[in-house]
Amino acid sequence: MDSSMHEFKIISKHRMYDQYLVKLRTCIVLLDEQVLWRVGEAETNSIGGIINHIMVHVRRNAAKLIDPTITYKQGMEDSFIPSMQNKEQLMDEVEEAFSSFCAAILAKFTRITEVAVI
């Protein structure tokens, strides 16, 4: 693997896990349940709905790293639908989604490195 791809993967993992996840955790912790799931004017999405949508992106990207041949037949519009989960459940799902992304990057990086060494 060339050094630019290695650098990209290191930076991506750092930004996703050490920056974006930290900000999502803070948001979830600071907001009460009502504010987290409140839908604004003109049917805008709730903060919790937006977080769910972000998790769909993160999970899809993790899966695509592991299997680049994956295709998706449906969009992600349903991920904005308000959830019945509480803050702790949402936090657990956020942690799992971001951890799976980091694991996928590490697995992809390890496989590429092993192939390059052989």
Side-chain angles (χ1 to χ4, degrees):
M1 172 174 19
D2 67 24
S3 64
S4 61
M5 184 56 119
H6 174 72
E7 192 172 317
F8 170 77
K9 290 184 182 284
I10 299 274
I11 290 169
S12 295
K13 180 180 175 292
H14 168 68
R15 286 189 178 161
M16 289 295 287
Y17 203 80
D18 299 326
Q19 292 179 349
Y20 305 148
L21 175 57
V22 171
K23 290 174 184 179
L24 281 174
R25 280 183 192 135
T26 301
C27 176
I28 294 167
V29 168
L30 291 176
L31 296 175
D32 66 39
E33 299 272 341
Q34 287 182 321
V35 173
L36 190 62
W37 299 108
R38 182 181 303 143
V39 176
E41 297 176 17
E43 298 186 34
T44 58
N45 299 304
S46 69
I47 294 167
I50 293 168
I51 292 171
N52 278 327
H53 190 77
I54 290 168
M55 284 190 297
V56 172
H57 277 285
V58 172
R59 287 182 178 127
R60 282 185 171 198
N61 285 315
K64 197 81 165 156
L65 279 167
I66 293 167
D67 180 3
T69 64
I70 288 178
T71 58
Y72 297 99
K73 293 180 172 76
Q74 291 183 326
M76 301 183 316
E77 297 78 18
D78 289 346
S79 63
F80 284 112
I81 295 172
S83 175
M84 298 306 291
Q85 63 198 156
N86 62 36
K87 284 172 50 164
E88 291 77 24
Q89 292 167 323
L90 181 63
M91 184 74 83
D92 289 344
E93 282 195 47
V94 167
E95 296 285 345
E96 180 276 323
F98 278 76
S99 292
S100 70
F101 178 82
C102 290
I105 280 188
L106 289 173
K108 182 79 171 183
F109 173 68
T110 302
R111 273 195 313 263
I112 291 171
T113 303
E114 287 172 355
V115 169
V117 170
I118 296 174

